Amino acid sequence: MPEAPKKCGNGAGLGVEGGILDDKNIRAFEFIEDVTMNAKEVQMQVLSEILTSNSNVEYLQRHVLNGRVDADTFKKIVPVVTYEDMLPDIERIANGDMSPILCSKPISEFLTSSGTSGGERKLMPTIEEELGRRSLLYSLLMPVMNQFVPGLDEGKGMYFLFVKSEAKTPGGLMARPVLTSYYKSSYFRDRPYDPYTNYTSPNETILCPDSYQSMYSQLLCGLCQNKEVLRVGAVFASGFIRAIRFLEKHWVLLCKDIRAGTLDSQINDPSVREAVKRILKPNPELADFIEAECRRESWEGIITRLWPNTKYIDVIVTGTMSQYIPTLDYYSNGLPLVCTMYASSECYFGLNLNPLCKPSEVSYTLIPTMAYFEFLPVNRKNGFTNVSQSAPRNEKEHQELVDLVDVKLGQEYELVVTTYAGLYRYRVGDILCVAGFKNKAPQFKFICRKNVALSIDSDKTDEFELQNAVKNAADHLLQFDASVTEYTSYADTSTIPGHYVLYWEIGLSGATPIPPSVFEDCCLIMEESLNSVYRQGRASDKSIGPLEIRIVEGGTFDKLMDYALSQGASINQYKTPRCVKYAPIIELLNSRVVSNYFSPKCPKWVSGHKQWCT
Ligand code: AMP
């Protein structure tokens, strides 16, 4: 098996000692070359390692694998599963069963995925050593980037990174998002000095649990060091735009602090104050400059104006995040948008080896050491995904899954992973398309997440949840002898933060008009009915704006159908789309809106699963 780059210091991937950057870059490229060249052998070895070390676990014994570690037997015997299939085992672990159910190594914590099941976040078991694997992938990113944009070691990155709330399972394991787990780990906190992970935000500002204080202090530090900043970013595009919006709201206060070298009293976390004070010095000249820029009527190009040496924006704009590309282009005067990696709570998958390509051309090379990857072929006809909802059960269907090195150029697949932490043939739910190869390893375009209708930030709402939310809200209209005869939805990202818009056509048989407050209640009922990731985005992260209902005049949905038929849809097969994205359709709907209403307050949300709190 090709050797991973040598660890350094605390083992955080490719550390840099004594500024030997070239050496680090060379080792990263050698590693990528090795594992992509020998992708098949590496994958077989990964599977064998996972099955050998977990031969005693209950899950594999249940399927009578009997210690066999070859791919053929594994594929014949072990079923392809969804989260729901694994839920009973996951619940046992969450409730405190410490026996080796999925993995022989102790489950160190649960990573709470933004995918949901029964309205709650999915819980992904993980083990300590996975942190090393994640670190390794991170350590490959900058050597790749440096090939295309040299000199990044001569300045800093202004990244808006945040931790989110944590909860404990009834059995006492931590449950938190994967990035919170990573930022709190020694791999991140105690990373050795490395020009590639030299950020404007001190660790304390990133680790501050109060999102206002965290954002304020990170922006303040980023502004104070504006000339040193060579790249800016956040994990997802939505998070970066939120930071710009925050700046729009708070630049007066930020400038006041920069002018006087003082820190606003709302920032009361002692460790944050201490860390910011190390950077903040009175700088009236800088404050004047920022003030003048922010006062200008247009914020077009604000990034390049305030951080003039910025070479690119590092944010994910693939998948649903592509809806934010125009806004980012506006704020940055068209700086390159760079998508560096593809990862999830289940497993970190791979990286983009051509990071300066256009967002529409981004493809990710899966790194064969991260997990054992399989691929379920998908046929999407006319943009509709046709993969079976349930796991394939019979042997023939099992065999349909292909290995990493056997995928075909241009074909779409659903990703299936077997991880070191104890997921076996687990359907991730992402649809990928093979766009090319790096040596023997395929490169995938991210196509979409299966069954996601609406998404603003990390929320992923499917049609079923939407239908249920509309039904709950529509019941509220019965008292007026009214009903929702048709509906569709739209993720409106023209507002910051973006918000869900529901277009409702109403059938009214009663004589009493419906008061606006009833529609506002309907907005809130829908929000209360949506999953916990949505409600967290609304109530805690403030990354999603209030849900809006737009009432459209009678006959609007007939017009929508007429439009679809004029575009070639078949009248026999026509179904009202429950989510729309296409601009002419949205224009048609908007032109027939008679009134609109917003949710008057945030829906309820508590950290941790509902059932743990009751
Ligand atoms: P989570 O489990 O909450 O960490 O979310 C992981 C999911 O986010 C993945 O399965 C993808 O659906 C999505 N995702 C992660 N990275 C990317 C990317 N680079 N492009 C598009 N979608 C991504």
Side-chain angles (χ1 to χ4, degrees), residues 105-235:
K105 307 216 167 96
I107 300 298
S108 53
E109 60 184 320
F110 280 109
L111 302 176
T112 53
S113 157
S114 58
T116 54
S117 163
E120 296 293 326
R121 281 174 179 273
K122 291 178 184 170
L123 295 172
M124 294 299 161
T126 192
I127 53 178
E128 199 63 38
E129 70 179 45
E130 279 295 292
L131 274 165
R133 243 168 240 117
R134 283 176 218 134
S135 268
L136 178 97
L137 195 67
Y138 282 128
S139 70
L140 302 174
L141 303 180
M142 286 307 289
V144 171
M145 203 63 227
N146 186 62
Q147 280 182 304
F148 298 89
V149 188
L152 291 171
D153 53 314
E154 288 156 22
K156 294 191 177 187
M158 180 180 70
Y159 282 81
F160 299 106
L161 307 174
F162 301 93
V163 293
K164 292 203 183 178
S165 67
E166 302 171 329
K168 281 249 164 98
T169 67
L173 282 173
M174 190 70 90
R176 54 189 177 183
V178 60
L179 290 173
T180 300
S181 161
Y182 184 73
Y183 300 146
K184 289 194 162 186
S185 77
S186 63
Y187 284 86
F188 182 79
R189 276 187 295 115
D190 307 329
R191 60 191 186 278
Y193 172 78
D194 179 341
Y196 283 160
T197 53
N198 192 3
Y199 303 132
T200 52
S201 299
N203 287 356
E204 293 84 344
T205 62
I206 294 170
L207 296 172
C208 175
D210 179 304
S211 59
Y212 175 86
Q213 295 191 48
S214 177
M215 180 71 96
Y216 187 94
S217 54
Q218 293 196 52
L219 257 173
L220 186 60
C221 293
L223 287 166
C224 287
Q225 304 169 79
N226 72 325
K227 294 273 169 57
E228 289 171 66
V229 170
L230 299 184
R231 54 199 166 105
V232 298
V235 179

Side-chain angles (χ1 to χ4, degrees), residues 111-115 121-122 124 177-179 235-236 316-321 339-350 362 364 415 428-431 446-450 458 460:
L111 302 176
T112 53
S113 157
S114 58
R121 281 174 179 273
K122 291 178 184 170
M124 294 299 161
V178 60
L179 290 173
V235 179
F236 288 111
I316 291 177
V317 283
T318 40
T320 54
M321 289 291 149
C339 299
T340 54
M341 69 187 279
Y342 168 43
S344 78
S345 314
E346 290 89 338
C347 166
Y348 277 23
F349 305 121
V362 170
Y364 299 99
L415 179 61
V428 173
D430 288 347
I431 310 294
F446 183 91
I447 301 297
C448 62
R449 174 109 183 163
K450 227 171 49 191
S458 53
K460 300 176 174 75

